[in-house]
Amino acid sequence: NARLNFSILESDVQNFSIASYVSINSESGVIYARGTFDYEQLKGFQIQVQVHDSGALTSNASVNVVILDQNDNAPVIIHPLPEYGSTAMESISRFAEPGYLVVKISATDADAGQNARLSYQFFQATHLNIFTISADTGEIWTIRPILSKDASNQRLVVVVKDNGIPSLSATVTIVLSVIGTD
């Protein structure tokens, strides 16, 4: 009666047989994944394992499989939408006061938890001393008046990074047309 035989009881996970996800070694009871799992598609599932000995004794156990998120999705910029490749066009008045909200960069990340936490920063700018960006919100503000000697087109390249390891990122270029004359 010391010889044990392990099996997985038939069930469905997302309308597919559990056997398409996992298998079990009938002698050792070790459970194997038949492929990789994507957290964004499947966060977990339960397996019913049955063991019986060479006599008539049988027992069942539930095994909970928890899928962990990997940083497999880069951020996606959803605003402003680029009009020319990866460049978005915006305008700003030459008379905008310091603290004027120019634009808010919005992005999403399909990952979860820390892997989806986003931060925003300038990668390049025509004049770094005119604008600032909130690392948490993606809001871009003026920090000083726009002077007549400043370029009439301000180019800002913003990088959005997630908090995964390794970090994934997306960039958007914003060309600000300065409108109005002194």
Side-chain angles (χ1 to χ4, degrees), residues 12-181:
D12 286 345
V13 175
Q14 293 185 331
N15 298 321
F16 292 99
S17 169
I18 191 76
S20 66
Y21 291 93
V22 293
S23 63
I24 192 166
N25 180 303
S26 63
E27 295 176 3
S28 69
V30 174
I31 299 171
Y32 298 94
R34 291 196 178 268
T36 59
F37 301 111
D38 185 357
Y39 177 84
E40 286 75 35
Q41 301 298 319
L42 179 66
K43 295 184 177 26
F45 57 94
Q46 192 172 78
I47 304 168
Q48 297 298 320
V49 176
Q50 185 174 77
V51 60
H52 62 271
D53 64 12
S54 51
L57 296 177
T58 300
S59 184
N60 293 345
S62 295
V63 177
N64 290 316
V65 177
V66 177
I67 312 299
L68 301 178
D69 187 33
Q70 297 294 311
N71 192 32
D72 56 345
N73 294 289
V76 175
I77 295 170
I78 57 174
H79 185 268
L81 290 175
E83 299 170 35
Y84 307 100
S86 64
T87 302
M89 307 298 287
E90 298 284 334
S91 62
I92 183 171
S93 170
R94 181 168 302 280
F95 307 106
E97 296 288 328
Y100 175 79
L101 177 62
V102 178
V103 66
K104 181 180 185 334
I105 310 298
S106 297
T108 62
D109 192 308
D111 289 314
Q114 288 297 312
N115 292 334
R117 200 177 95 213
L118 301 177
S119 63
Y120 302 81
Q121 65 187 56
F122 287 133
F123 183 70
Q124 292 178 338
T126 305
H127 294 288
L128 278 173
N129 64 346
I130 299 177
F131 305 101
T132 188
I133 188 167
S134 166
D136 297 324
T137 67
E139 294 175 331
I140 297 174
W141 297 286
T142 55
I143 53 176
R144 71 162 174 82
I146 299 171
L147 307 174
S148 57
K149 68 178 183 170
D150 293 326
S152 60
N153 283 319
Q154 296 289 323
R155 185 173 173 268
L156 304 173
V157 180
V158 177
V159 62
V160 182
K161 293 182 180 179
D162 65 23
N163 201 39
I165 299 174
S167 179
L168 300 175
S169 64
T171 60
V172 63
T173 300
I174 300 169
V175 175
L176 294 170
S177 296
V178 179
I179 55 174
T181 57

